[in-house]
Amino acid sequence: MGEHHTVASFDEDLGAISKLISDMGELAGSMVGGATRALLTSDNALAQRVVSDDAIMDARQRELDDRAITLIAKRQPMANDLRAVVGSIRMAGDLERIGDLAKNIAKRVGTVGLSVTPRDLSHSIDVMAQLVLVQVQGVIEEYAAADAAALAKLRNDDERIDVKYTSVFRELLTYMMEDPRNITACTHLLFCAKNLERIGDHVTNIAENAYYVLTGTQLPANRPKQDETAMSAPAA
């Protein structure tokens, strides 16, 4: 009876941690979507809500860390169970960073004058943001569904975000070179695009950790990065 109770208690504790990961993932998606909408529509009220949500994200990470540490100390989990607990701590760290990056985008909303930004450039940022949002939402859904194959594919799909970021980067440089009046707005948009690209990188980390939790094996480490902005410059 005692052993059954212990197993049940462990499963309940692990379930609570998994629920926190799910809640953090849902909040991360809401923050990324909200920050992008606020940026593209100059919605300062929505931007402020995203900034406020970051405190909730931080609190959930702290709660998860506390639960996980207590669980390890009390239950001393082995093998698969330990992998799940440690993996949750790592995933929560990446979700918290996604929240920080979404907050950083939201904080720029009041300073970006999109009235001077060409519509096709706003569209490019929006397309990139949608790619990122699909990744954020997908990684949590696929972990919850224990779909390791889908997680491996999602990890590789980050390449599309890198390619889009390179394209946006070149567009922004071109607009800045064409008209110095665009420089301030484009600089802020460049910062936001870089944050979106970094969110994609954190989703990749989550996918890798989730895959490891589910399978006990690591995905190959040599996924190529396609961000070419370090070497890119618009054609004269």
Side-chain angles (χ1 to χ4, degrees), residues 1-138:
M1 184 73 175
E3 183 178 343
H4 174 74
H5 176 73
T6 301
V7 170
S9 298
F10 178 84
D11 287 345
E12 286 171 9
D13 290 343
L14 200 55
I17 289 171
S18 295
K19 174 71 164 57
L20 279 167
I21 289 289
S22 177
D23 289 347
M24 290 179 73
E26 187 176 326
L27 182 58
S30 171
M31 290 178 72
V32 172
T36 306
R37 281 198 310 279
L39 179 71
L40 296 175
T41 61
S42 298
D43 187 334
N44 287 305
L46 177 56
Q48 192 52 54
R49 281 203 296 279
V50 173
V51 172
S52 299
D53 280 345
D54 189 54
I56 300 172
M57 181 71 86
D58 291 347
R60 285 179 179 166
Q61 188 199 14
R62 285 194 298 272
E63 182 185 349
L64 186 144
D65 283 350
D66 289 345
R67 282 180 175 272
I69 290 165
T70 301
L71 181 58
I72 291 170
K74 281 169 53 181
R75 311 289 185 198
Q76 298 180 340
M78 304 294 288
N80 294 0
D81 292 332
L82 181 61
R83 200 165 66 227
V85 176
V86 173
S88 294
I89 293 172
R90 289 175 174 170
M91 286 186 275
D94 280 300
L95 287 166
E96 190 273 334
R97 285 296 298 135
I98 288 172
D100 284 344
L101 292 164
K103 177 183 71 174
N104 289 346
I105 293 171
K107 282 182 168 181
R108 296 271 166 157
V109 169
T111 55
V112 175
L114 282 181
S115 58
V116 300
T117 306
R119 183 177 297 276
D120 55 345
L121 182 54
S122 296
H123 175 71
S124 293
I125 295 277
D126 190 28
V127 169
M128 183 179 177
Q130 292 310 311
L131 288 173
V132 171
L133 194 55
V134 167
Q135 293 283 89
V136 172
Q137 294 168 338

Side-chain angles (χ1 to χ4, degrees), residues 139-177:
V139 74
I140 300 301
E141 291 170 3
E142 285 154 14
Y143 178 56
D147 191 339
L151 286 165
K153 179 182 182 302
L154 184 142
R155 194 278 291 257
N156 292 333
D157 282 348
D158 182 60
E159 180 180 332
R160 294 161 62 204
I161 296 172
D162 295 337
V163 169
K164 188 62 185 175
Y165 171 65
T166 300
S167 170
V168 169
F169 179 89
R170 287 171 172 160
E171 282 184 66
L172 285 163
L173 284 189
T174 299
Y175 285 124
M176 286 191 276
M177 292 171 70

